[in-house]
Amino acid sequence: AQTPPSEIAKAHEEKVYTLAFAPDGKTFASGGFDNTIKIWEYPSLKEVRKLTGHTNNIYCVAFNKDGTLLASSSQDKTIRLWNPADGKLVRELKGHTDQVDFVAFSPDGKLLASTSADKSVRLWNPADGKETKNLGTHTKGAYMVAFSPDGKQLASAGADMIIKIWDVAAGKEAKQLKGHTDAVTGVVWHPTQPNTLVSIGHDRTVRVWDVAAGKETKQLGEVDAKTKAVAPLEDDPYGIAFSKEGKLATSGYGGYLKVWDLASGKAVQTIRLNQTVKNRFGAYCVTFSPDGKMLLTGHDQKMIVLTPVGK
């Protein structure tokens, strides 16, 4: 069923590539290809402050567990840590030799993981900004990284079609998950089902993995009546997120936003966001509001869109 987006707001001067809610749900951060980060009130979508200092596109923003630190990564090859309360820079993390695609805090907030076009996956200490471990590399650029809910494992998505699982304590690669037939653009862990990981890729698939067994358990989507195979998505998925309750959302380059039921493997909500806005309206990122009732997406028309999650 089509649910019209409840609100569209112009957010940046260029495409909005990344979004993250603060843990308390009262604010969120956005990052754009105008080199700026913005903090917004939620749900009023009122701009609170603008964080400047990066010298190139912002690729990722992430809050730590108590919302006292905001990490950002950029095409300028740096990671910055900010105090979101006043917008002041806390420290800059340097070491990557190409754009930093993604950053994620560990559940306890004591580590920050990053992936980069330099192919490496790294761990940092947010307290002093020092790199604690260069875990290793993909054979092509590394896109997204995610800590397991217990913080013991780290998953990274690569342009080499491989998902790597890293043992955080040991600081080394534990296994590889193979099955995607094109670049893997995103990975997320299920919040309540241990060892369940979901990935998206340029092969237009959404895959569910049993990490302990090291294998794919399901591909989400509609089964094609003729081929009996799961039909590919309508567009290349870029954004993926779980709600705290375990609902899954994906967003794509053609403006498709989907909410999935993992048990049935089917999309329970599909919205084509560009029906509301002229021109291509790629959704580069998606995140659930902390109460799980709204989806926030960032777009190449400089916009953020707030959409109600279907019942």
Side-chain angles (χ1 to χ4, degrees), residues 157-297:
D160 55 6
M161 307 189 283
I162 292 170
I163 298 161
K164 294 200 173 198
I165 306 295
W166 310 86
D167 181 322
V168 175
K172 63 182 187 187
E173 186 180 317
K175 62 183 66 171
Q176 296 185 3
L177 305 179
K178 294 180 179 178
H180 277 286
T181 57
D182 206 334
V184 188
T185 48
V187 281
V188 285
W189 296 84
H190 195 288
T192 58
Q193 292 175 14
N195 282 306
T196 300
L197 185 80
V198 183
S199 62
I200 51 172
H202 278 318
D203 55 10
R204 297 194 170 188
T205 64
V206 185
R207 297 170 190 254
V208 183
W209 305 83
D210 178 334
V211 175
K215 66 179 188 192
E216 183 183 322
T217 58
K218 187 182 286 186
Q219 196 174 314
L220 304 185
E222 297 297 327
V223 175
D224 185 292
K226 287 182 185 170
T227 64
K228 305 293 185 228
V230 176
L233 298 183
E234 299 92 334
D235 61 356
D236 292 346
Y238 267 80
I240 183 167
F242 266 115
S243 70
K244 287 175 187 159
E245 303 76 38
K247 276 187 178 175
L248 180 78
T250 58
S251 67
Y253 204 53
Y256 283 90
L257 177 61
K258 288 179 181 282
V259 179
W260 300 89
D261 173 51
L262 281 197
S264 70
K266 302 276 195 289
V268 291
Q269 189 175 2
T270 299
I271 300 140
R272 186 132 192 228
L273 291 163
N274 63 358
Q275 288 179 336
T276 62
V277 174
K278 288 178 182 173
N279 304 321
R280 190 166 60 75
F281 203 53
Y284 291 99
C285 50
V286 62
T287 187
F288 281 89
S289 59
D291 65 8
K293 292 179 180 173
M294 302 296 281
L295 285 165
L296 191 63
T297 45

Side-chain angles (χ1 to χ4, degrees), residues 51-164:
L51 284 50
T52 59
H54 277 296
T55 58
N56 213 322
N57 301 336
I58 311 296
Y59 271 86
C60 186
V61 288
F63 283 94
N64 66 349
K65 65 167 187 171
D66 60 5
T68 55
L69 268 184
L70 177 72
S72 61
S73 72
S74 169
Q75 198 170 344
D76 67 13
K77 308 176 189 175
T78 72
I79 299 162
R80 286 175 174 240
L81 298 178
W82 311 82
N83 178 349
D86 61 13
K88 289 194 165 69
L89 179 68
V90 179
R91 57 184 57 90
E92 192 174 46
L93 284 52
K94 289 184 173 179
H96 280 295
T97 58
D98 206 333
Q99 74 187 36
V100 188
D101 282 286
F102 211 85
V103 281
F105 281 99
S106 59
D108 64 7
K110 291 178 181 173
L111 288 171
L112 184 76
S114 62
T115 51
S116 167
D118 68 12
K119 307 172 189 171
S120 70
V121 182
R122 303 182 190 217
L123 293 175
W124 308 79
N125 178 1
D128 62 11
K130 290 189 168 63
E131 184 180 313
T132 58
K133 186 78 180 176
N134 185 334
L135 291 173
T137 59
H138 285 263
T139 57
K140 290 183 178 177
Y143 285 137
M144 192 184 273
V145 69
F147 279 95
S148 60
D150 64 8
K152 292 178 179 176
Q153 299 181 96
L154 189 72
S156 61
D160 55 6
M161 307 189 283
I162 292 170
I163 298 161
K164 294 200 173 198

Side-chain angles (χ1 to χ4, degrees), residues 8-22:
I8 299 176
K10 183 170 185 287
H12 286 265
E13 296 307 314
E14 295 291 341
K15 67 179 69 165
V16 183
Y17 204 79
T18 176
L19 293 161
F21 268 96

